[in-house]
Amino acid sequence: LSAPGDAHPVRHDNKTRLRVSWRSLQPATFNTMPISMYSQTIPLFVRLLTNLSGILDKTAAHCAEKKIDPAVLLGSRLFPDMFPLTRQVQIGCDFAKGAAARLSGREVPSWPDEEKTFEDLKNRVRKALEYLATFTPADIDGSETKQITLKRGGQDVMMTGEEYLLCLLYTS
């Protein structure tokens, strides 16, 4: 018999697989290091928006290749109760710029939602990325205890920067 936490082979569906318990992957001790608010926001938003820009490129190319009217995909929903693609991109950009502004104490910039084409949406993503590039770790780090106030259902909802990051940003 193997000791708890050891890896051992298991036969399943005529294949041998290695079963590893979670304990065997745990280091003996943990050296914790604080995670900066900046590292958990701006780089993440940049990566997501950059990926979104690439997806928009591929979608526009697909429309051109298959001779699909771009308005069809821009107005499409993955599920009936979801916003169409155009609105989803606008919300994604607004979310990133709003979070960065709130955590840094800056005023949240307001951008009109006028995008009608893939190129318009790519420009909005580019604008959001340029805005995010104006933030430094010094702007965001230390915002764990900063009071963040949001309007939800016409009511002011107050939370700390850490609560905002963990509850709203990571669950949206």
Side-chain angles (χ1 to χ4, degrees):
L1 282 184
S2 60
D6 289 348
H8 55 281
V10 175
R11 294 279 303 164
H12 183 67
D13 294 336
N14 296 324
K15 295 179 183 175
T16 301
R17 297 185 178 160
L18 189 62
R19 178 177 290 167
V20 180
S21 77
W22 173 248
R23 256 183 255 160
S24 67
L25 301 175
Q26 302 276 335
T29 60
F30 287 102
N31 292 326
T32 59
M33 180 174 99
I35 298 174
S36 81
M37 293 289 279
Y38 177 89
S39 71
Q40 295 301 300
T41 54
I42 304 303
L44 173 69
F45 298 153
V46 167
R47 185 175 72 242
L48 293 173
L49 290 174
T50 301
N51 290 344
L52 179 57
S53 182
I55 291 167
L56 291 172
D57 284 337
K58 289 179 182 184
T59 308
H62 178 77
C63 284
E65 179 185 324
K66 301 293 183 179
K67 297 184 181 15
I68 299 170
D69 179 4
V72 171
L73 292 183
L74 291 168
S76 293
R77 303 165 190 258
L78 292 177
F79 201 77
D81 68 347
M82 292 179 68
F83 288 117
L85 176 61
T86 297
R87 186 72 186 119
Q88 295 279 354
V89 173
Q90 292 165 342
I91 289 170
C93 292
D94 290 349
F95 195 78
K97 72 178 169 75
R102 287 182 190 97
L103 289 171
S104 70
R106 294 185 194 175
E107 189 69 30
V108 178
S110 177
W111 301 339
D113 297 328
E114 302 171 334
E115 293 79 17
K116 304 284 186 229
T117 66
F118 283 111
E119 194 58 38
D120 292 344
L121 289 174
K122 287 212 25 113
N123 286 335
R124 186 179 184 114
V125 170
R126 180 189 44 74
K127 186 176 177 181
L129 287 167
E130 288 171 355
Y131 180 70
L132 293 175
T134 68
F135 291 89
T136 66
D139 296 325
I140 307 286
D141 286 344
S143 62
E144 297 86 352
T145 58
K146 183 179 287 189
Q147 280 298 117
I148 308 289
T149 303
L150 298 172
K151 287 273 190 207
R152 294 285 186 236
Q155 301 286 336
D156 282 347
V157 177
M158 296 178 62
M159 64 195 76
T160 65
E162 183 177 46
E163 292 167 337
Y164 179 64
L165 176 69
L166 297 176
C167 296
L168 288 176
L169 294 182
Y170 284 167
T171 60
S172 294

